Amino acid sequence: MDPVPEEQTAETVRQLRALATPEGAVALARAAALLDDRVDAVAALSRLRAEVGTDLAGPAWGIARQRHKARATFGADADRMLFTSDALEQAGRPELAARRAARLLAGGADSVADLGCAAGTDTIALARAGARVLAVDVDPVARELTALNVEALGIDDVWVVAGDAVEMVAAARGREVAGCGAAVLDPARRAGGRRQLDPDTWSPPWSTVVELLEKVPTSVVKVAPGLDHDRVPAGVEAEWVSVGGSIVEALLWGSAVAETWRRATVVRDGVVHELTADSDPGPASAGPVRGWLHEPDPAVIRSGLVSLVAADLGATLVDPTIAYLTSDAAAESPWVSSYRIDEVLPFNLKKLRALLRERGVGRVVVKKRGSAIEPETLARQLRTDARGTATVVVTRVAGAPTTLVCDVRT
Ligand SMILES: C[S@@+](CC[C@H](N)C(=O)[O-])C[C@H]1O[C@@H](n2cnc3c(N)ncnc32)[C@H](O)[C@@H]1O
């Protein structure tokens, strides 16, 4: 986390409180209307100052902009909630928070500590799922946001408190933390605007993650999707979640709520698909390129479950080190996207250009795995006036740099 000067924090808290008054609500409504009318920032701010006063104009404009951004994720709630840009950037998806809350509470816990509540996404989901929630944060702005958001959404049974999760977890006893039988921990994984790849630099750090999972078995921790499998403690379930083909979160479930060893959760068109393994299924075997290429969903790859999908599809890897599968048929499966392979050639730009010209292909989408090429650059280099389209996959096949030209349409 970046240290923010105390006066700045106190000023942000004061502004948030001012926006939660009836006058603040009027200022926010005006700012939202100006934003919807696409009035530029300078003109909008000057109109707001004249209409609602200098004190409310700037904060109202700032929050209106965050609400606007938040709508895609938070839906109707966004227009009732308050977010700073920092809190919105750190916020998870409410539908996934709801899913997490339901699973955590299914074990029978009725009180949950949300350790690092930020703008309150998890707190809100937990309270809506029926829990009493102790929302904890070291940051006064986060606490204010959570308190105001909970109130704005008419949610009861939430207590917002100042506290350091590191100390609370250190003091945890009897499978409880801060008097709660369950916990959600979502460490801050950014500092100075950058992702912190080393879990020891998260706030709270990895040592607190492990300690919580050990001491409070009804707990779930949000971690970076790139987390090394070797770090996952024994008896803990690790789950990777993707939405629309992109990985969005990774979770560690404590032993009282763990149901399996690894889980890949793939959300496609609003439908949730889950693939699980109770133990390491090992790697898939490799084989020659056949008629179809299958690109596993990133949640399947990250969770280490590619070999389960390979077995299901009767497919093999194109290379032992590359997560592309190949088989004789297209797959109707949520775990992969399938491409018909039309041409296989060693990677060579000149030969690829000649082949695409011959096939009448002028526009390509480039995919790559195990290659240093830049997909957008290669797609530009291959662009011509020809009407046909194709997907060009640059990868390694049995160790050799190879191009697969797929789904040619002319
Ligand atoms: C990633 S955010 C939580 C986001 C939240 N779960 C959501 O989806 O909106 C992490 C939060 O943890 C808080 N935090 C960081 N270190 C902490 C600590 N030692 N104790 C309590 N809170 C902490 C940060 O201030 C921040 O608000």
Side-chain angles (χ1 to χ4, degrees), residues 215-379:
K215 289 177 156 181
V216 186
T218 306
S219 57
V220 59
V221 183
K222 234 165 117 177
V223 295
L227 186 82
D228 193 338
H229 280 244
D230 290 346
R231 286 212 184 232
V232 181
V236 164
E237 173 189 330
E239 176 184 19
W240 280 264
V241 183
S242 73
V243 177
S246 300
I247 211 116
V248 289
E249 60 185 42
L251 304 169
L252 300 181
W253 295 92
S255 59
V257 272
E259 292 167 354
T260 186
W261 177 72
R262 298 286 186 264
R263 183 187 307 258
T265 299
V266 170
V267 185
R268 273 198 186 185
D269 303 321
V271 183
V272 178
H273 307 271
E274 297 185 5
L275 182 70
T276 59
D278 290 338
S279 60
D280 189 349
S285 54
V289 173
R290 291 183 269 163
W292 289 79
L293 184 76
H294 311 289
E295 182 180 24
D297 184 276
V300 172
I301 297 175
R302 282 298 320 153
S303 57
L305 302 183
V306 171
S307 61
L308 292 188
V309 173
D312 191 35
L313 303 181
T316 45
L317 294 169
V318 296
D319 182 284
T321 63
I322 305 280
Y324 278 136
L325 293 168
T326 181
S327 77
D328 294 322
E332 281 300 318
S333 159
W335 316 122
V336 296
S337 303
S338 296
Y339 303 87
R340 189 193 63 239
I341 301 174
D342 293 314
E343 305 277 356
V344 182
L345 63 160
F347 180 69
N348 176 310
L349 188 56
K350 225 168 130 189
K351 286 195 177 137
L352 179 59
R353 270 208 184 105
L355 179 109
L356 294 176
R357 196 178 323 116
E358 194 184 301
R359 303 280 309 241
V361 171
R363 276 163 199 256
V364 299
V365 171
V366 176
K367 292 181 162 288
K368 67 142 188 179
R369 194 155 278 168
S371 161
I373 62 121
E374 187 50 61
E376 285 81 28
T377 310
L378 182 59

